[in-house]
Amino acid sequence: MNNVVIQESTIDLTSGQKGKVAVLMYAGEEDPVAKLDWAVSEYVQNKGFNEFIDSHMDNPWVRVIISGINEMNQEDFDPSKHTLKL
């Protein structure tokens, strides 16, 4: 709808509940900021969330939404085990 696509994943929270990570992307000829502002607003409604946008706006076609970020399991960073490599 409106050239916006979404990919969602769930996150285990410390409370035993679930949070979500959502990546919204716009592919179209109109203003990506306006389209994604609309999509984010519709997606989150009145729920708490954190939103991540490219700080330099080099890629205004992508938004990342995370719910429950303060209740995520956390541990000290160890580069020998914390990596994107699967």
Side-chain angles (χ1 to χ4, degrees), residues 20-33:
K20 280 190 176 181
V21 174
V23 178
L24 292 104
M25 295 175 278
Y26 173 72
E29 299 300 320
E30 297 179 58
D31 178 13
V33 174

Side-chain angles (χ1 to χ4, degrees):
M1 179 174 196
N2 294 314
N3 297 324
V4 176
V5 296
I6 187 169
Q7 173 64 46
E8 295 178 291
S9 292
T10 59
I11 308 168
D12 293 326
L13 302 178
T14 56
S15 63
Q17 296 183 340
K18 300 284 185 183
K20 280 190 176 181
V21 174
V23 178
L24 292 104
M25 295 175 278
Y26 173 72
E29 299 300 320
E30 297 179 58
D31 178 13
V33 174
K35 289 293 185 178
L36 288 169
D37 283 349
W38 168 83
V40 168
S41 177
E42 290 293 314
Y43 180 71
V44 302
Q45 297 178 14
N46 63 350
K47 306 289 187 219
F49 68 99
N50 292 86
E51 179 177 11
F52 298 90
I53 303 170
D54 180 0
S55 64
H56 299 287
M57 289 304 283
D58 294 335
N59 189 357
W61 300 273
V62 177
R63 302 277 180 92
V64 178
I65 306 298
I66 301 178
S67 67
I69 198 168
N70 294 326
E71 292 82 30
M72 292 172 63
N73 293 316
Q74 299 175 7
E75 59 184 85
D76 290 336
F77 176 68
D78 178 353
S80 68
K81 72 176 191 177
H82 298 113
T83 177
L84 282 177
K85 187 170 83 176
L86 299 175

